Amino acid sequence: MIASVAGQVAAIGADSAVVEVGGVGMLVHCTPGTLAGLRVGEPARLSTSLVVREDSLTLYGFASDDERTVFELLQTASGVGPRLALAMLAVHAPNALRVAVASADIKALTMVPGIGQKGAQRIVLELKDKLGAPAGAVDAALNGSAAAPAWRDQVHSGLVGLGYSSRDADDAVAAVTAEAEAEVAAGRAPQVAVLLKSALRALSVR
């Protein structure tokens, strides 16, 4: 198992990064929050989980060992594969997921694209004794999952990491604000990966 990768960041995409390790470029799939903390040309260390399939080897990267642990535990629930587990961590921080499962917060879990009410109920049933007890207050953890870091900061940092100036990033964030606010008004968490793609489109037509 590849437990971590460390090296210079060679490239950053909408949902992955390439880290140079011993002259080899490792493609690592990450959450938008993790990608926002990377910079092209700068060194980085990511905790990783290797998912092996008959026709592929896919590496997933995380900012912390705890995030990787939760990613792997999530996949022990029926119907949760690596893509959905990564989507869950893109919406909620590890501790917020522990809180949601421990408190059977179906609404919080269904904020993740691809999880319906029945799926959320199954996740609660199957993971309540696996994820461990949440640390800190319930409300703080749930609120923190959506607000810290905020989608604005994540999209802005992601664009700067891709080489755009801070001013261009500010303009792009402004361009997608209405899209993010519409998601909030509908009771959904803004998806940073989707907003980042929209921001890139806005920059491309300038």
Side-chain angles (χ1 to χ4, degrees), residues 28-86:
V28 188
H29 295 272
C30 307
T31 65
T34 297
L35 292 172
L38 303 179
R39 295 290 183 273
V40 174
E42 295 186 5
R45 180 192 180 280
L46 296 173
S47 298
T48 57
S49 179
L50 180 64
V51 176
V52 180
R53 297 285 186 264
E54 289 185 3
D55 58 348
S56 66
L57 296 173
T58 307
L59 197 61
Y60 294 86
F62 309 93
S64 69
D65 290 344
D66 184 45
E67 196 172 18
R68 178 188 62 198
T69 298
V70 171
F71 170 78
E72 293 174 345
L73 286 172
L74 290 173
Q75 294 175 71
T76 64
S78 303
V80 179
R83 293 286 185 180
L84 185 55
L86 196 68

Side-chain angles (χ1 to χ4, degrees), residues 74-178:
L74 290 173
Q75 294 175 71
T76 64
S78 303
V80 179
R83 293 286 185 180
L84 185 55
L86 196 68
M88 294 174 73
L89 286 165
V91 175
H92 297 299
N95 197 52
L97 285 171
R98 292 189 178 97
V99 170
V101 170
S103 61
D105 190 342
I106 302 302
K107 182 179 179 180
L109 293 173
T110 55
M111 291 174 69
V112 180
I115 297 181
Q117 184 167 349
K118 290 184 178 179
Q121 292 171 341
R122 184 174 61 248
I123 288 170
V124 168
L125 181 64
E126 296 184 11
L127 295 182
K128 62 181 180 180
D129 296 323
K130 293 183 179 180
L131 287 182
V138 170
D139 289 342
L142 286 175
N143 292 337
S145 69
W151 69 264
R152 290 175 181 272
D153 293 335
Q154 292 186 0
V155 172
H156 189 279
S157 297
L159 291 170
V160 172
L162 289 170
Y164 290 96
S165 69
S166 182
R167 182 174 180 178
D168 285 342
D170 287 337
D171 292 342
V173 167
V176 301
T177 295

